[in-house]
Amino acid sequence: MEVTLRIFRYNPEKDKKPHYETYKIEAEQTDQVLDLLNRVKWEQDGTLAYRRSCAHGICGSDALRINGVNRLACKVLVRDVGTKITVEPLLGMSVIKDLIVDMEPFFDHYRIIKPYLINDEPLPVGERIQSQEERARFDDTTKCILCAACTTSCPSFWASGEYIGPAAIVLAHRFIFDSRDRGARERLEELNGRMGIWRCHDIFNCTDACPREIEVTKALGEVKLAIITGRLD
Ligand code: SF4
Ligand code: FES
């Protein structure tokens, strides 16, 4: 079948403003949107810029707006979106070129929540033991691949790019509820700040956008409760 691909194009070094270009491609129902982008780049227009790596939904580098919805280009098939496909960069981030956005502010927010185990207690002789129940407490949020689909689908983030955003809070959740970690208080204090978790109004766009099916809004709710009650169970 023939697919029409409409792609956002912008080269700030040359273009006064963004525009869209349209490409026609022969495709199968089971082709990924990423396959189509690759075909455009390799067969029609080598100047097209986009990020990709694993092509299997693991690296998180190809989150894009596909027909207006944030998705990983490698996890969306032609049969999911039809034969007229519009591909745009994530909203709320500045465009470096075409579909590539500047992820640095996103990773700055990620660094704020100290995404590593904090524990200054003396090391036990073996490992820091954790029960299966304790591990299960934060299992869902370990699945995050930092694709930014959640944060860039959030109206609070569109309103202010300073809002720390759901992705950083999901990663904070992963450590706050880890029984081996001792840094929960400092993370919760950070998230309780002006651009922290209270900018979340439970809109659920983040949960809908997450390609890993993480219950993002639920995780944010648990972090809010921990701030209010001071309890980490
Ligand atoms: Fe991507 Fe989901 Fe992680 Fe958000 S929570 S960055 S959507 S994997
Ligand atoms: Fe790695 Fe899509 S290319 S997640």
Side-chain angles (χ1 to χ4, degrees):
M1 73 178 67
E2 187 181 77
V3 170
T4 305
L5 208 55
R6 188 170 160 264
I7 304 179
F8 176 101
R9 304 297 307 265
Y10 182 47
N11 181 350
E13 289 178 8
K14 285 193 191 156
D15 303 333
K16 286 205 176 89
K17 56 180 187 177
H19 62 283
Y20 289 81
E21 281 181 28
T22 301
Y23 305 87
K24 300 224 181 266
I25 301 172
E26 277 304 310
E28 304 289 330
Q29 292 273 12
T30 50
D31 280 340
Q32 303 169 344
V33 172
L34 180 59
D35 292 327
L36 308 186
L37 291 173
N38 287 339
R39 234 170 279 154
V40 168
K41 184 166 180 75
W42 297 337
E43 297 166 11
Q44 297 191 34
D45 185 348
T47 67
L48 176 65
Y50 55 100
R51 288 195 180 99
R52 80 286 191 194
S53 182
C54 70
H56 289 286
I58 297 300
C59 72
S61 55
D62 62 342
L64 294 164
R65 270 165 66 82
I66 299 172
N67 286 355
V69 179
N70 281 5
R71 316 177 77 159
L72 296 178
C74 65
K75 282 196 76 177
V76 181
L77 306 183
V78 170
R79 68 172 176 227
D80 301 327
V81 283
T83 54
K84 292 196 186 323
I85 307 171
T86 298
V87 185
E88 299 164 295
L90 296 174
L91 278 182
M93 322 271 250
S94 55
V95 173
I96 295 175
K97 184 167 185 266
D98 298 336
L99 302 174
I100 296 181
V101 292
D102 181 6
M103 294 287 284
E104 264 320 299
F106 175 80
F107 288 119
D108 284 344
H109 289 183
Y110 171 55
R111 288 178 200 110
I112 286 174
I113 58 92
K114 301 191 168 80
Y116 41 82
L117 198 81
I118 299 174
N119 191 333
D120 293 335
E121 294 166 6
L123 280 171
V125 176
E127 299 165 3
R128 293 192 196 276
I129 302 294
Q130 187 166 56
S131 70
Q132 288 185 359
E133 291 73 29
E134 286 168 337
R135 175 61 179 75
R137 179 68 188 82
F138 59 95
D139 190 59
D140 197 34
T141 46
T142 62
K143 295 187 296 189
C144 178
I145 54 172
L146 281 171
C147 67
C150 55
T151 294
T152 57
S153 67
C154 172
S156 298
F157 177 75
W158 298 336
S160 171
E162 287 181 53
Y163 167 42
I164 195 160
I169 302 170
V170 160
L171 268 299
H173 178 286
R174 180 256 169 271
F175 290 100
I176 287 168
F177 294 101
D178 187 331
S179 59
R180 300 163 299 179
D181 186 84
R182 298 291 175 267
R185 302 288 160 212
E186 52 193 283
R187 293 193 189 93
L188 291 174
E189 202 172 307
E190 194 63 57
L191 293 175
N192 198 22
R194 196 173 69 85
M195 286 296 167
I197 197 164
W198 304 111
R199 296 250 154 189
C200 165
H201 301 297
D202 294 338
I203 294 164
F204 278 82
N205 278 14
C206 51
T207 303
D208 289 343
C210 181
R212 302 287 291 171
E213 295 175 3
I214 296 170
E215 293 186 88
V216 180
T217 313
K218 180 170 176 242
L220 268 60
E222 291 174 357
V223 173
K224 287 175 182 171
L225 200 62
I227 292 173
I228 293 168
T229 63
R231 291 178 52 181
L232 300 176
D233 50 11

